[in-house]
Amino acid sequence: MNIFCVGEESLKLCYCSPYFKVVLNPSYTSLQDEDWFHGVLPREEVVRLLENEGDYLVRETYRNESKQIVLSVCWEGHKHFIIQTTADGKFRFEGPAFPSVQELILYQYHSGQAVTSRSGAVLKTPVLRERWELNNDDVELVEKIGRGNFGDVYRAVLRASGVEVAVKTCRMNLPDEQKKRFLQEGRILKQYDHPNIVKLIGICVQKQPIMIVMELVPGGSLLNFLRNHKHSLLITDLLTMCLEAARGMEYLENKNCIHRDLAARNCLVGMKNVVKISDFGMSREEEEYTVSDGMKQIPIKWTAPEALNYGRYTSLCDVWSYGVLMWEIFSLGSTPYAGWSNSKAREMIDSGYRLESPPNTPEYLYELMIRTWDYNPDRRPHFSEIRQTLESIATSFI
């Protein structure tokens, strides 16, 4: 038996009991070491994790630049309790106060008493950090290499292994809704494993700034790669890039993932010039998605007409964007509809205009681009057909 005192309560914990595996003796651990402490995970993400009655976790939040520790519980919906600090530095809800948050949570769990009499919420099952939730201190930021929609991007190193990684950071002053969108990319990527999709290593939410840790893809963005190597790239190289992007997009289509921002700037070039789809900040995991928050930050010149006109997205919208990506690849990084405003491009597309074939592009490849730009999405090829078509073309070059 392991016996220690919590306030006036004496708790007995058997090493082989399920309870002992859930909570360690608070004397030996910091709050950040507890598996049920989720750091600065946004409230929306917390609600997603708390599924069953009595599920609970602890997190941090900031109000008026003041840190608050919050207990979140699934109980007749979701309830969030700010942990009160007494004048002598102890922690409590309505009952007794304890020297540490761990001891307070341990007491609530073990006693079975309601957190507050009004809520009736009882702690039953701690929700532990998911395996891809890393500690911020596990990652050493080395060099800023770019800037994203939510914050800076760094080359970094995992301290334990020395492996180089890429890290996207989220600015601390963004509202929770923006942080939710930032973390959405990590939540989507953690489920995927494909050579043409950038790999997620983990997310860091134990403290600010929130970070997404991904594999470091050394060649940088496909757009810059095309522009920097335009004099050395052969048609076979460009065809291979299109084929690899199609393989990645076919994988996403089979997962019911709509990327919504497919473009050369959002693809990366890895070892041996392998193309990887990246930047899933606008992605949605559903067969059809209708925009409800306006059309802000929509990449107009890459977006299908039905998405622009009606806010309706499917994988066939990604097919339209893929056609523009093919055009970018064969134009060696040129800008589509160069010199046109977004409104002019939309007007011309609606009237039937399509991008002209880039110089030296084989006719059969331009015909594939044209098929991806059919105004009727039902007449566009799916990614499986695009991939098969490109594979057949590739074999003719061997």
Side-chain angles (χ1 to χ4, degrees):
M1 290 285 188
N2 177 37
I3 303 175
F4 61 94
C5 290
V6 180
E8 297 178 358
E9 297 280 330
S10 179
L11 303 182
K12 298 182 179 181
L13 303 178
C14 175
Y15 284 103
C16 62
S17 74
Y19 174 66
F20 184 81
K21 295 175 183 177
V22 171
V23 184
L24 297 175
N25 183 332
S27 303
Y28 302 132
T29 60
S30 70
L31 182 57
Q32 286 196 356
D33 290 331
E34 297 292 352
D35 288 338
W36 39 257
F37 177 70
H38 289 249
V40 292
L41 198 66
R43 182 169 173 151
E44 291 84 356
E45 288 291 303
V46 168
V47 167
R48 182 182 64 84
L49 292 177
L50 300 175
E51 298 179 334
N52 303 309
E53 202 83 342
D55 284 358
Y56 70 92
L57 59 81
V58 175
R59 60 188 174 93
E60 282 182 6
T61 188
Y62 288 81
R63 183 172 296 176
N64 299 326
E65 299 184 359
S66 176
K67 183 175 76 173
Q68 295 177 332
I69 302 176
V70 179
L71 169 67
S72 296
V73 188
C74 180
W75 193 269
E76 298 176 355
H78 293 91
K79 293 181 168 53
H80 307 275
F81 304 95
I82 296 174
I83 297 177
Q84 307 295 326
T85 305
T86 63
D88 57 353
K90 293 184 178 180
F91 302 91
R92 69 185 296 257
F93 295 111
E94 287 182 348
F98 299 94
S100 70
V101 172
Q102 296 95 306
E103 289 170 286
L104 173 62
I105 299 302
L106 179 62
Y107 166 78
Q108 290 293 156
Y109 175 90
H110 187 79
S111 69
Q113 295 186 16
V115 178
T116 64
S117 56
R118 182 178 179 180
S119 71
V122 174
L123 308 190
K124 294 183 178 180
T125 309
V127 173
L128 308 184
R129 290 197 298 270
E130 298 176 283
R131 61 173 178 77
W132 46 277
E133 288 187 46
L134 305 177
N135 195 309
N136 294 59
D137 295 332
D138 295 337
V139 182
E140 179 184 355
L141 302 181
V142 176
E143 174 189 13
K144 180 179 173 180
I145 57 175
R147 187 170 183 83
N149 291 329
F150 302 96
D152 295 326
V153 182
Y154 292 86
R155 181 173 62 85
V157 174
L158 296 178
R159 295 183 191 276
S161 62
V163 171
E164 286 196 321
V165 293
V167 172
K168 290 185 175 183
T169 61
C170 185
R171 289 190 297 276
M172 293 174 59
N173 58 352
L174 290 181
D176 270 2
E177 180 60 32
Q178 293 290 310
K179 291 176 182 176
K180 175 187 172 184
R181 286 183 56 200
F182 175 78
L183 285 173
Q184 178 174 277
E185 178 172 15
R187 191 170 71 244
I188 288 175
L189 280 177
K190 73 186 176 74
Q191 307 170 74
Y192 300 157
D193 184 13
H194 189 277
N196 300 117
I197 304 291
V198 68
K199 282 185 172 55
L200 175 81
I201 294 172
I203 67 165
C204 300
V205 292
Q206 289 299 88
K207 59 184 179 182
Q208 300 283 8
I210 297 173
M211 302 188 292
I212 295 177
V213 184
M214 300 180 294
E215 66 171 318
L216 182 66
V217 185
S221 82
L222 174 58
L223 182 60
N224 290 336
F225 185 88
L226 290 166
R227 292 173 176 176
N228 294 336
H229 296 83
K230 62 173 60 180
H231 300 299
S232 60
L233 292 170
L234 306 175
I235 286 182
T236 50
D237 297 323
L238 305 180
L239 176 60
T240 299
M241 290 176 175
C242 291
L243 176 55
E244 289 171 343
R247 286 170 175 160
M249 291 307 299
E250 180 185 13
Y251 178 85
L252 294 180
E253 185 177 46
N254 290 336
K255 297 283 189 179
N256 285 332
C257 177
I258 309 169
H259 190 282
R260 296 179 66 222
D261 199 10
L262 181 62
R265 64 183 174 274
N266 291 331
C267 296
L268 300 172
V269 180
M271 302 296 291
K272 299 182 180 179
N273 295 348
V274 172
V275 172
K276 294 174 180 279
I277 309 297
S278 182
D279 211 318
F280 286 73
M282 289 175 58
S283 301
R284 294 294 185 276
E285 288 186 303
E286 41 200 313
E287 291 186 28
E288 182 173 322
Y289 172 73
T290 301
V291 172
S292 58
D293 55 353
M295 301 296 283
K296 294 180 180 179
Q297 296 184 320
I298 298 297
I300 302 294
K301 295 178 180 179
W302 281 261
T303 301
E306 68 272 17
L308 293 176
N309 295 332
Y310 308 108
R312 189 172 64 248
Y313 283 86
T314 67
S315 282
L316 291 169
C317 295
D318 282 344
V319 168
W320 177 288
S321 304
Y322 176 83
V324 182
L325 170 62
M326 281 189 70
W327 186 92
E328 288 182 281
I329 290 173
F330 277 92
S331 68
L332 300 170
S334 295
T335 302
Y337 313 102
W340 290 4
S341 66
N342 285 335
S343 57
K344 173 71 179 296
R346 286 185 67 173
E347 178 185 337
M348 293 298 289
I349 289 168
D350 283 340
S351 68
Y353 175 84
R354 296 297 180 265
L355 289 164
E356 297 179 1
S357 178
N360 304 315
T361 300
E363 184 177 349
Y364 44 81
L365 287 171
Y366 182 61
E367 288 174 354
L368 180 57
M369 293 182 208
I370 290 294
R371 289 184 63 204
T372 68
W373 299 327
D374 197 302
Y375 202 84
N376 183 345
D378 293 332
R379 292 200 293 260
R380 296 173 203 154
H382 285 265
F383 282 110
S384 57
E385 183 182 345
I386 294 173
R387 187 262 306 161
Q388 290 168 4
T389 301
L390 292 176
E391 284 181 342
S392 298
I393 293 172
T395 57
S396 68
F397 281 90
I398 299 176

mmCIF file of all heavy atoms in Angstrom, residues 263-298:
data_model
loop_
_atom_site.group_PDB
_atom_site.id
_atom_site.type_symbol
_atom_site.label_atom_id
_atom_site.label_comp_id
_atom_site.label_asym_id
_atom_site.label_seq_id
_atom_site.Cartn_x
_atom_site.Cartn_y
_atom_site.Cartn_z
ATOM 1 N N ALA A 263 -2.759 24.248 -54.014
ATOM 2 C CA ALA A 263 -2.011 25.147 -54.894
ATOM 3 C C ALA A 263 -0.531 24.823 -54.738
ATOM 4 O O ALA A 263 -0.130 24.178 -53.764
ATOM 5 C CB ALA A 263 -2.277 26.612 -54.530
ATOM 6 N N ALA A 264 0.285 25.284 -55.677
ATOM 7 C CA ALA A 264 1.727 24.997 -55.618
ATOM 8 C C ALA A 264 2.345 25.561 -54.345
ATOM 9 O O ALA A 264 3.269 24.969 -53.778
ATOM 10 C CB ALA A 264 2.421 25.558 -56.857
ATOM 11 N N ARG A 265 1.832 26.679 -53.859
ATOM 12 C CA ARG A 265 2.400 27.288 -52.639
ATOM 13 C C ARG A 265 2.147 26.416 -51.416
ATOM 14 O O ARG A 265 2.842 26.536 -50.409
ATOM 15 C CB ARG A 265 1.810 28.683 -52.421
ATOM 16 C CG ARG A 265 0.315 28.667 -52.154
ATOM 17 C CD ARG A 265 -0.313 30.047 -52.016
ATOM 18 N NE ARG A 265 -1.772 29.932 -51.903
ATOM 19 C CZ ARG A 265 -2.590 29.867 -52.936
ATOM 20 N NH1 ARG A 265 -2.081 29.909 -54.165
ATOM 21 N NH2 ARG A 265 -3.891 29.745 -52.774
ATOM 22 N N ASN A 266 1.140 25.540 -51.499
ATOM 23 C CA ASN A 266 0.777 24.687 -50.363
ATOM 24 C C ASN A 266 1.200 23.239 -50.558
ATOM 25 O O ASN A 266 0.704 22.349 -49.870
ATOM 26 C CB ASN A 266 -0.726 24.763 -50.110
ATOM 27 C CG ASN A 266 -1.138 26.124 -49.588
ATOM 28 O OD1 ASN A 266 -0.350 26.809 -48.935
ATOM 29 N ND2 ASN A 266 -2.345 26.539 -49.880
ATOM 30 N N CYS A 267 2.106 23.009 -51.498
ATOM 31 C CA CYS A 267 2.752 21.699 -51.647
ATOM 32 C C CYS A 267 4.228 21.862 -51.304
ATOM 33 O O CYS A 267 4.804 22.946 -51.486
ATOM 34 C CB CYS A 267 2.611 21.171 -53.073
ATOM 35 S SG CYS A 267 0.910 20.830 -53.571
ATOM 36 N N LEU A 268 4.838 20.808 -50.803
ATOM 37 C CA LEU A 268 6.251 20.832 -50.424
ATOM 38 C C LEU A 268 7.025 19.839 -51.268
ATOM 39 O O LEU A 268 6.463 18.871 -51.794
ATOM 40 C CB LEU A 268 6.403 20.500 -48.937
ATOM 41 C CG LEU A 268 5.689 21.445 -47.958
ATOM 42 C CD1 LEU A 268 5.757 20.904 -46.533
ATOM 43 C CD2 LEU A 268 6.282 22.848 -48.031
ATOM 44 N N VAL A 269 8.326 20.070 -51.379
ATOM 45 C CA VAL A 269 9.199 19.193 -52.163
ATOM 46 C C VAL A 269 10.195 18.534 -51.214
ATOM 47 O O VAL A 269 10.997 19.215 -50.567
ATOM 48 C CB VAL A 269 9.939 19.975 -53.262
ATOM 49 C CG1 VAL A 269 10.842 19.040 -54.067
ATOM 50 C CG2 VAL A 269 8.935 20.666 -54.186
ATOM 51 N N GLY A 270 10.118 17.212 -51.134
ATOM 52 C CA GLY A 270 10.963 16.469 -50.214
ATOM 53 C C GLY A 270 12.184 15.872 -50.867
ATOM 54 O O GLY A 270 12.624 16.300 -51.950
ATOM 55 N N MET A 271 12.762 14.855 -50.218
ATOM 56 C CA MET A 271 13.926 14.167 -50.761
ATOM 57 C C MET A 271 13.569 13.554 -52.114
ATOM 58 O O MET A 271 12.447 13.085 -52.325
ATOM 59 C CB MET A 271 14.388 13.070 -49.796
ATOM 60 C CG MET A 271 14.746 13.578 -48.405
ATOM 61 S SD MET A 271 16.176 14.698 -48.417
ATOM 62 C CE MET A 271 17.479 13.523 -48.850
ATOM 63 N N LYS A 272 14.534 13.585 -53.029
ATOM 64 C CA LYS A 272 14.339 13.079 -54.402
ATOM 65 C C LYS A 272 13.175 13.787 -55.098
ATOM 66 O O LYS A 272 12.521 13.221 -55.978
ATOM 67 C CB LYS A 272 14.129 11.568 -54.399
ATOM 68 C CG LYS A 272 15.300 10.773 -53.827
ATOM 69 C CD LYS A 272 15.065 9.281 -53.885
ATOM 70 C CE LYS A 272 16.252 8.531 -53.314
ATOM 71 N NZ LYS A 272 16.051 7.057 -53.325
ATOM 72 N N ASN A 273 12.948 15.033 -54.691
ATOM 73 C CA ASN A 273 11.931 15.891 -55.298
ATOM 74 C C ASN A 273 10.508 15.341 -55.189
ATOM 75 O O ASN A 273 9.650 15.615 -56.038
ATOM 76 C CB ASN A 273 12.270 16.171 -56.773
ATOM 77 C CG ASN A 273 13.556 16.965 -56.921
ATOM 78 O OD1 ASN A 273 14.073 17.500 -55.939
ATOM 79 N ND2 ASN A 273 14.084 17.024 -58.126
ATOM 80 N N VAL A 274 10.245 14.555 -54.143
ATOM 81 C CA VAL A 274 8.898 14.017 -53.934
ATOM 82 C C VAL A 274 7.958 15.140 -53.502
ATOM 83 O O VAL A 274 8.270 15.909 -52.588
ATOM 84 C CB VAL A 274 8.913 12.899 -52.872
ATOM 85 C CG1 VAL A 274 7.490 12.478 -52.523
ATOM 86 C CG2 VAL A 274 9.693 11.704 -53.381
ATOM 87 N N VAL A 275 6.806 15.237 -54.152
ATOM 88 C CA VAL A 275 5.817 16.265 -53.829
ATOM 89 C C VAL A 275 4.909 15.775 -52.705
ATOM 90 O O VAL A 275 4.431 14.644 -52.727
ATOM 91 C CB VAL A 275 4.980 16.626 -55.076
ATOM 92 C CG1 VAL A 275 3.817 17.543 -54.696
ATOM 93 C CG2 VAL A 275 5.852 17.302 -56.121
ATOM 94 N N LYS A 276 4.688 16.639 -51.730
ATOM 95 C CA LYS A 276 3.818 16.321 -50.594
ATOM 96 C C LYS A 276 2.773 17.417 -50.430
ATOM 97 O O LYS A 276 3.122 18.603 -50.407
ATOM 98 C CB LYS A 276 4.635 16.198 -49.301
ATOM 99 C CG LYS A 276 5.609 15.008 -49.296
ATOM 100 C CD LYS A 276 6.486 15.035 -48.055
ATOM 101 C CE LYS A 276 7.464 13.875 -48.016
ATOM 102 N NZ LYS A 276 6.841 12.641 -47.543
ATOM 103 N N ILE A 277 1.514 17.014 -50.304
ATOM 104 C CA ILE A 277 0.438 17.969 -50.056
ATOM 105 C C ILE A 277 0.560 18.472 -48.618
ATOM 106 O O ILE A 277 0.750 17.693 -47.683
ATOM 107 C CB ILE A 277 -0.942 17.318 -50.256
ATOM 108 C CG1 ILE A 277 -1.023 16.592 -51.603
ATOM 109 C CG2 ILE A 277 -2.046 18.361 -50.111
ATOM 110 C CD1 ILE A 277 -0.877 17.481 -52.796
ATOM 111 N N SER A 278 0.427 19.780 -48.437
ATOM 112 C CA SER A 278 0.580 20.369 -47.110
ATOM 113 C C SER A 278 -0.502 21.426 -46.895
ATOM 114 O O SER A 278 -1.396 21.599 -47.720
ATOM 115 C CB SER A 278 1.976 20.984 -46.978
ATOM 116 O OG SER A 278 2.187 21.516 -45.691
ATOM 117 N N ASP A 279 -0.401 22.111 -45.763
ATOM 118 C CA ASP A 279 -1.267 23.235 -45.410
ATOM 119 C C ASP A 279 -2.740 22.854 -45.433
ATOM 120 O O ASP A 279 -3.483 23.186 -46.352
ATOM 121 C CB ASP A 279 -1.018 24.433 -46.336
ATOM 122 C CG ASP A 279 -1.270 25.755 -45.602
ATOM 123 O OD1 ASP A 279 -2.263 25.819 -44.861
ATOM 124 O OD2 ASP A 279 -0.480 26.690 -45.755
ATOM 125 N N PHE A 280 -3.174 22.202 -44.351
ATOM 126 C CA PHE A 280 -4.548 21.725 -44.231
ATOM 127 C C PHE A 280 -5.411 22.640 -43.353
ATOM 128 O O PHE A 280 -6.404 22.212 -42.798
ATOM 129 C CB PHE A 280 -4.554 20.301 -43.650
ATOM 130 C CG PHE A 280 -4.101 19.259 -44.635
ATOM 131 C CD1 PHE A 280 -2.761 19.145 -44.994
ATOM 132 C CD2 PHE A 280 -5.007 18.400 -45.215
ATOM 133 C CE1 PHE A 280 -2.343 18.192 -45.907
ATOM 134 C CE2 PHE A 280 -4.603 17.437 -46.127
ATOM 135 C CZ PHE A 280 -3.264 17.333 -46.470
ATOM 136 N N GLY A 281 -5.009 23.897 -43.250
ATOM 137 C CA GLY A 281 -5.715 24.815 -42.369
ATOM 138 C C GLY A 281 -7.156 25.097 -42.765
ATOM 139 O O GLY A 281 -7.975 25.478 -41.932
ATOM 140 N N MET A 282 -7.479 24.914 -44.064
ATOM 141 C CA MET A 282 -8.851 25.151 -44.523
ATOM 142 C C MET A 282 -9.599 23.848 -44.779
ATOM 143 O O MET A 282 -10.750 23.861 -45.232
ATOM 144 C CB MET A 282 -8.836 25.993 -45.807
ATOM 145 C CG MET A 282 -8.424 27.432 -45.602
ATOM 146 S SD MET A 282 -8.297 28.343 -47.158
ATOM 147 C CE MET A 282 -9.955 28.164 -47.820
ATOM 148 N N SER A 283 -8.968 22.716 -44.499
ATOM 149 C CA SER A 283 -9.547 21.423 -44.867
ATOM 150 C C SER A 283 -10.756 21.063 -44.027
ATOM 151 O O SER A 283 -10.912 21.522 -42.890
ATOM 152 C CB SER A 283 -8.489 20.323 -44.737
ATOM 153 O OG SER A 283 -7.381 20.604 -45.563
ATOM 154 N N ARG A 284 -11.608 20.202 -44.598
ATOM 155 C CA ARG A 284 -12.784 19.692 -43.892
ATOM 156 C C ARG A 284 -12.915 18.203 -44.185
ATOM 157 O O ARG A 284 -12.702 17.770 -45.308
ATOM 158 C CB ARG A 284 -14.072 20.408 -44.350
ATOM 159 C CG ARG A 284 -14.132 21.876 -43.989
ATOM 160 C CD ARG A 284 -14.207 22.092 -42.489
ATOM 161 N NE ARG A 284 -14.380 23.487 -42.132
ATOM 162 C CZ ARG A 284 -13.398 24.371 -42.018
ATOM 163 N NH1 ARG A 284 -12.163 23.995 -42.257
ATOM 164 N NH2 ARG A 284 -13.638 25.621 -41.675
ATOM 165 N N GLU A 285 -13.273 17.437 -43.147
ATOM 166 C CA GLU A 285 -13.453 16.002 -43.313
ATOM 167 C C GLU A 285 -14.943 15.691 -43.458
ATOM 168 O O GLU A 285 -15.614 15.358 -42.498
ATOM 169 C CB GLU A 285 -12.863 15.243 -42.126
ATOM 170 C CG GLU A 285 -11.351 15.245 -42.127
ATOM 171 C CD GLU A 285 -10.789 14.371 -41.033
ATOM 172 O OE1 GLU A 285 -11.121 14.611 -39.873
ATOM 173 O OE2 GLU A 285 -10.032 13.451 -41.359
ATOM 174 N N GLU A 286 -15.460 15.853 -44.640
ATOM 175 C CA GLU A 286 -16.841 15.530 -44.947
ATOM 176 C C GLU A 286 -16.999 15.467 -46.462
ATOM 177 O O GLU A 286 -16.182 16.010 -47.207
ATOM 178 C CB GLU A 286 -17.810 16.548 -44.339
ATOM 179 C CG GLU A 286 -17.360 17.994 -44.427
ATOM 180 C CD GLU A 286 -18.098 18.871 -43.415
ATOM 181 O OE1 GLU A 286 -19.323 18.751 -43.328
ATOM 182 O OE2 GLU A 286 -17.429 19.663 -42.731
ATOM 183 N N GLU A 287 -18.044 14.762 -46.908
ATOM 184 C CA GLU A 287 -18.237 14.586 -48.340
ATOM 185 C C GLU A 287 -18.617 15.897 -49.012
ATOM 186 O O GLU A 287 -18.253 16.147 -50.157
ATOM 187 C CB GLU A 287 -19.311 13.522 -48.598
ATOM 188 C CG GLU A 287 -18.865 12.110 -48.218
ATOM 189 C CD GLU A 287 -19.880 11.072 -48.616
ATOM 190 O OE1 GLU A 287 -20.616 11.295 -49.585
ATOM 191 O OE2 GLU A 287 -19.928 10.031 -47.951
ATOM 192 N N GLU A 288 -19.387 16.714 -48.316
ATOM 193 C CA GLU A 288 -19.751 18.022 -48.847
ATOM 194 C C GLU A 288 -19.709 19.030 -47.715
ATOM 195 O O GLU A 288 -20.131 18.746 -46.597
ATOM 196 C CB GLU A 288 -21.139 17.996 -49.483
ATOM 197 C CG GLU A 288 -21.541 19.325 -50.088
ATOM 198 C CD GLU A 288 -22.845 19.255 -50.867
ATOM 199 O OE1 GLU A 288 -23.076 18.233 -51.537
ATOM 200 O OE2 GLU A 288 -23.622 20.228 -50.793
ATOM 201 N N TYR A 289 -19.171 20.195 -47.996
ATOM 202 C CA TYR A 289 -19.033 21.234 -46.975
ATOM 203 C C TYR A 289 -19.561 22.541 -47.541
ATOM 204 O O TYR A 289 -19.199 22.941 -48.656
ATOM 205 C CB TYR A 289 -17.568 21.386 -46.566
ATOM 206 C CG TYR A 289 -17.307 22.567 -45.654
ATOM 207 C CD1 TYR A 289 -17.707 22.546 -44.324
ATOM 208 C CD2 TYR A 289 -16.674 23.710 -46.133
ATOM 209 C CE1 TYR A 289 -17.477 23.632 -43.496
ATOM 210 C CE2 TYR A 289 -16.438 24.798 -45.307
ATOM 211 C CZ TYR A 289 -16.844 24.745 -43.990
ATOM 212 O OH TYR A 289 -16.633 25.823 -43.165
ATOM 213 N N THR A 290 -20.429 23.216 -46.793
ATOM 214 C CA THR A 290 -20.965 24.500 -47.212
ATOM 215 C C THR A 290 -20.428 25.587 -46.292
ATOM 216 O O THR A 290 -20.542 25.497 -45.071
ATOM 217 C CB THR A 290 -22.509 24.501 -47.167
ATOM 218 O OG1 THR A 290 -22.992 23.454 -48.026
ATOM 219 C CG2 THR A 290 -23.052 25.837 -47.639
ATOM 220 N N VAL A 291 -19.825 26.597 -46.902
ATOM 221 C CA VAL A 291 -19.240 27.695 -46.140
ATOM 222 C C VAL A 291 -20.352 28.480 -45.461
ATOM 223 O O VAL A 291 -21.347 28.840 -46.090
ATOM 224 C CB VAL A 291 -18.431 28.616 -47.070
ATOM 225 C CG1 VAL A 291 -17.982 29.860 -46.312
ATOM 226 C CG2 VAL A 291 -17.217 27.889 -47.610
ATOM 227 N N SER A 292 -20.181 28.728 -44.155
ATOM 228 C CA SER A 292 -21.178 29.491 -43.409
ATOM 229 C C SER A 292 -20.593 30.765 -42.818
ATOM 230 O O SER A 292 -21.298 31.549 -42.195
ATOM 231 C CB SER A 292 -21.762 28.633 -42.274
ATOM 232 O OG SER A 292 -20.731 28.200 -41.403
ATOM 233 N N ASP A 293 -19.290 30.979 -43.017
ATOM 234 C CA ASP A 293 -18.629 32.137 -42.385
ATOM 235 C C ASP A 293 -18.097 33.112 -43.430
ATOM 236 O O ASP A 293 -17.062 33.729 -43.254
ATOM 237 C CB ASP A 293 -17.488 31.668 -41.477
ATOM 238 C CG ASP A 293 -16.477 30.795 -42.209
ATOM 239 O OD1 ASP A 293 -16.735 30.446 -43.379
ATOM 240 O OD2 ASP A 293 -15.431 30.466 -41.607
ATOM 241 N N GLY A 294 -18.820 33.224 -44.565
ATOM 242 C CA GLY A 294 -18.381 34.151 -45.593
ATOM 243 C C GLY A 294 -17.243 33.574 -46.424
ATOM 244 O O GLY A 294 -16.855 32.424 -46.273
ATOM 245 N N MET A 295 -16.708 34.374 -47.317
ATOM 246 C CA MET A 295 -15.686 33.892 -48.259
ATOM 247 C C MET A 295 -14.334 34.542 -47.992
ATOM 248 O O MET A 295 -13.521 34.714 -48.901
ATOM 249 C CB MET A 295 -16.141 34.187 -49.701
ATOM 250 C CG MET A 295 -17.470 33.554 -50.082
ATOM 251 S SD MET A 295 -17.421 31.752 -50.065
ATOM 252 C CE MET A 295 -16.565 31.447 -51.601
ATOM 253 N N LYS A 296 -14.087 34.927 -46.758
ATOM 254 C CA LYS A 296 -12.808 35.541 -46.434
ATOM 255 C C LYS A 296 -11.670 34.542 -46.630
ATOM 256 O O LYS A 296 -11.793 33.363 -46.326
ATOM 257 C CB LYS A 296 -12.809 36.047 -44.989
ATOM 258 C CG LYS A 296 -13.784 37.193 -44.735
ATOM 259 C CD LYS A 296 -13.735 37.638 -43.282
ATOM 260 C CE LYS A 296 -14.704 38.787 -43.045
ATOM 261 N NZ LYS A 296 -14.692 39.222 -41.623
ATOM 262 N N GLN A 297 -10.551 35.047 -47.132
ATOM 263 C CA GLN A 297 -9.320 34.266 -47.303
ATOM 264 C C GLN A 297 -9.482 33.101 -48.290
ATOM 265 O O GLN A 297 -8.683 32.181 -48.293
ATOM 266 C CB GLN A 297 -8.825 33.721 -45.952
ATOM 267 C CG GLN A 297 -8.423 34.817 -44.979
ATOM 268 C CD GLN A 297 -7.837 34.261 -43.697
ATOM 269 O OE1 GLN A 297 -8.301 33.266 -43.157
ATOM 270 N NE2 GLN A 297 -6.800 34.917 -43.188
ATOM 271 N N ILE A 298 -10.525 33.131 -49.128
ATOM 272 C CA ILE A 298 -10.690 32.095 -50.139
ATOM 273 C C ILE A 298 -9.734 32.395 -51.296
ATOM 274 O O ILE A 298 -9.714 33.527 -51.807
ATOM 275 C CB ILE A 298 -12.146 32.050 -50.653
ATOM 276 C CG1 ILE A 298 -13.100 31.706 -49.515
ATOM 277 C CG2 ILE A 298 -12.283 31.046 -51.793
ATOM 278 C CD1 ILE A 298 -12.892 30.344 -48.915
#
